[in-house]
């Protein structure tokens, strides 16, 4: 299922989720229009986003182009815990070929957090919009500002 499309300088980036009977995985695809009938592509065919540091099932939610030619991909991460399933927000920086450079997640094993949108600021910092659980049953919209490495500002 396609979740988000980003377009910049004749280049498209897409992110979504592929569901199997066993799990959900995020996929990314990007291409540029080189003529009315041709394209240059990487990850054509909706290649699964392969993450090494994060575990669980992933829903692709938002993607944005970076000024350096790479991308930021925002995902909802589902983790199985003893009491059920926890949902966190995952952020992945991709190079221009769609390969992960770094990956990180935010949230708690006890609550459900959901991502909405990601963007890069002119100074290279990253903004993430999402919905966060506060005290269990309350959900609040929130904005997280991170450095260019996906870390909380100090």
């Amino acid at each position: 299922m396609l979740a988000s499309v980003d377009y910049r300088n004749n280049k498209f980036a897409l992110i979504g989720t592929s569901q199997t009977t066993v799990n959900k995985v995020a996929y990314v695809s990007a291409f540029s229009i080189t003529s009315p009938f041709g394209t240059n592509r990487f990850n054509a065919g909706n290649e699964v986003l392969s993450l090494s540091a994060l575990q669980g099932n992933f829903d692709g939610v938002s993607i944005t182009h970076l000024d350096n030619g790479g991308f930021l991909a925002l995902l909802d991460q589902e983790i199985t815990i003893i009491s059920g399933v926890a949902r966190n927000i995952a952020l992945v920086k991709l190079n221009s070929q769609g390969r992960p450079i770094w990956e990180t997640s935010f949230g708690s094993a006890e609550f459900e957090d959901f991502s909405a949108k990601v963007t890069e600021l002119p100074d290279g910092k990253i903004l993430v919009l999402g919905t966060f659980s506060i005290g269990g049953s309350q959900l609040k919209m929130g904005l997280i500002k991170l450095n260019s490495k996906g870390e909380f500002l100090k």
Side-chain angles (χ1 to χ4, degrees):
M1 178 173 73
L2 179 64
S4 178
V5 177
D6 188 50
Y7 175 79
R8 185 187 299 182
N9 299 328
N10 288 332
K11 295 178 184 174
F12 291 91
L14 297 85
I15 190 164
T17 304
S18 177
Q19 175 100 30
T20 68
T21 56
V22 179
N23 60 9
K24 291 191 295 187
V25 292
Y27 65 82
V28 294
S29 181
F31 55 92
S32 62
I33 299 174
T34 56
S35 74
F37 303 104
T39 60
N40 283 331
R41 301 177 186 190
F42 77 78
N43 290 350
N46 302 331
E47 183 173 314
V48 170
L49 187 56
S50 178
L51 304 177
S52 58
L54 301 177
Q55 297 187 7
N57 291 322
F58 297 93
D59 286 317
V61 175
S62 178
I63 192 163
T64 191
H65 287 85
L66 298 174
D67 289 337
N68 67 6
F71 305 90
L72 288 172
L74 193 61
L75 316 167
D76 283 342
Q77 176 187 26
E78 293 181 358
I79 304 167
T80 302
I81 57 175
I82 294 172
S83 61
V85 175
R87 289 177 177 80
N88 292 329
I89 295 173
L91 178 65
V92 182
K93 183 174 184 178
L94 306 167
N95 67 16
S96 62
Q97 296 302 306
R99 305 288 181 250
I101 297 170
W102 53 255
E103 52 200 73
T104 188
S105 66
F106 318 101
S108 165
E110 301 166 13
F111 302 117
E112 294 190 349
D113 302 315
F114 300 94
S115 60
K117 187 74 176 163
V118 62
T119 193
E120 180 186 40
L121 299 174
D123 64 0
K125 291 186 174 75
I126 300 166
L127 283 180
V128 174
L129 176 66
T131 305
F132 303 91
S133 296
I134 309 290
S137 62
Q138 287 188 352
L139 292 174
K140 300 289 183 182
M141 192 180 313
L143 192 61
I144 301 173
K145 190 172 184 181
L146 307 165
N147 67 20
S148 61
K149 297 177 184 176
E151 302 165 333
F152 288 105
L153 298 175
K154 296 179 182 181

